[in-house]
Amino acid sequence: MSLVEQFPYCDRNPASGGLDLMPDLPIVLRHQSRSLPGVGLVDSGASISVLPYSLGLQLGFDWNTQKAHITLGGTLSHVGARGIVVVAAVGQLSPVRLALAWANSDQVPFLLGQFNFFQTFGVCFFRTRKVFEIRQPGAVSPP
């Protein structure tokens, strides 16, 4: 298994001439026997990782049986959330368990934030090169 994966920044608005580049990460989420490919925004400014409601449903979660109530902050403070745990696969890196705040709304982005994405992976942003790297523990950092 690789310990470092590199991904290109995604240009969300090609008409902007590269001003709207975002570190969108292709990721596969698994829960029980279900698997769901998705794209999450790697967001170092987000306190926690957030999953939109419909993605949680597709993974087989039942809102009413989730007991861990999560309080979201900032612009998402009005949205209810529940704590869930999934297995996540990023590129060729070893799968990991990720804790997510499953939001009761599809009007929220899929965010990969400080808890616990940045606690699990090392992230290096190279915006001038239009790439970012995801590292698992044990990967050697560049000089």
Side-chain angles (χ1 to χ4, degrees):
M1 287 275 159
S2 170
L3 291 176
V4 180
E5 289 279 328
Q6 192 173 84
F7 298 91
Y9 271 75
C10 177
D11 194 346
R12 291 188 177 176
N13 180 8
S16 73
L19 295 176
D20 203 14
L21 295 176
M22 293 291 171
D24 288 333
L25 180 68
I27 188 169
V28 177
L29 304 179
R30 293 185 181 94
H31 173 66
Q32 297 176 343
S33 62
R34 298 186 186 193
S35 180
L36 179 68
V39 176
L41 173 64
V42 179
D43 186 353
S44 63
S47 297
I48 59 176
S49 298
V50 179
L51 188 71
Y53 186 74
S54 63
L55 297 183
L57 288 180
Q58 290 176 56
L59 285 167
F61 287 100
D62 178 354
W63 182 262
N64 296 318
T65 62
Q66 303 309 311
K67 303 300 180 202
H69 292 256
I70 306 291
T71 301
L72 299 175
T75 61
L76 302 180
S77 62
H78 66 284
V79 178
R82 303 284 193 267
I84 59 173
V85 176
V86 299
V87 173
V90 174
Q92 298 300 308
L93 303 177
S94 298
V96 298
R97 290 170 48 94
L98 284 184
L100 303 169
W102 178 31
N104 191 16
S105 172
D106 280 328
Q107 301 304 308
V108 301
F110 177 14
L111 298 176
L112 298 166
Q114 293 294 328
F115 183 82
N116 74 332
F117 187 81
F118 280 79
Q119 291 175 312
T120 304
F121 294 106
V123 180
C124 296
F125 297 102
F126 303 103
R127 189 151 188 316
T128 57
R129 294 184 358 219
K130 299 179 183 170
V131 298
F132 63 100
E133 292 180 350
I134 306 298
R135 302 171 169 273
Q136 283 191 306
V140 177
S141 296

